[in-house]
Amino acid sequence: MATAQSAARSAVQPRSAAEPRSAVQPRSASVPTPAAPPSDAPAPTLIGSVQRALRLMEAVSDHPDGAPAKQLAREAGLPLPTAYHLLRTLTHEGYLRREQGVFVLGPAANRLGHGGSGQLRREVVVETMERWRDTLGVAVYFAVYREGEVEVTALAESTANPAVEEWADFRETAHAHVIGQCLLSQLDARSRLDHLDRHPVEPITPYTVRGGTSLLTRLAAVERMQTMVERQEYSLGTICAGIPLTIGQTAAVMAISVPVAREARLDPAIERLRGEINEVVRSLMFSISI
């Protein structure tokens, strides 16, 4: 139940250490130099020092047990003095670490690696949500309760299966939609009261719970991790269902929505999700920031 966002991704292909860094081929005087193809696009501005530092990082990553500066300079195709300067800088910044005369990847480089793995796991989660969207004919949402607020972090929708329009701020209306209700159901009594003090219950449709006491009574009756259904409490003409999840110490929820006219899809979709949700829970544990 949020506006979908897209992110452009780029991939940098590592070059094998055996591949020559540069090669100058002799050209016969009888062979004319081919003219460069015309182009209206300006040549990109490349930072040579960054390129050289990345070559060194690639060379170090090829040696899990580390390698000395001379070997790294040779493999990166760099003069030894240049390699020394770059190695010292990368070590100072934490991307490399020097141990007994050899260089290995440092903690900063390891954090970059973990970030890349997290992005891949996030892609797995989003792809799974998109598959559910297409096969079940529903919009699919993933949300967490973070720092006292409801936060929808991933959404799979399409023209055929549109998400509910956020016409009233989800953070302020957690009492009215199934995402917020599932998240509030996982909180302790004190945290629920704190949330409702900051975001008082206000009916936004004829079907919305009428007050904070009624909401608390309803939440208290919900069994732990029980699937919840909300009918037109947030958006007229829409029915939503949510499966509560606990990801580490974070309250989370996987939810779906359908128009009232397609209510027959709701129960089969929930059964399917409950049967497959464990496939993505592990990835969600490492992708809670999506």
Side-chain angles (χ1 to χ4, degrees), residues 131-144:
R131 174 170 56 82
W132 287 334
R133 174 201 64 199
D134 296 336
T135 58
L136 302 177
V138 297
V140 187
Y141 315 77
F142 174 68
V144 298

Side-chain angles (χ1 to χ4, degrees), residues 111-123 286-287:
R111 286 196 296 272
L112 290 177
H114 292 321
S117 298
Q119 291 179 17
L120 290 175
R121 285 187 284 265
R122 182 190 187 282
E123 291 177 4
F286 294 96
S287 308

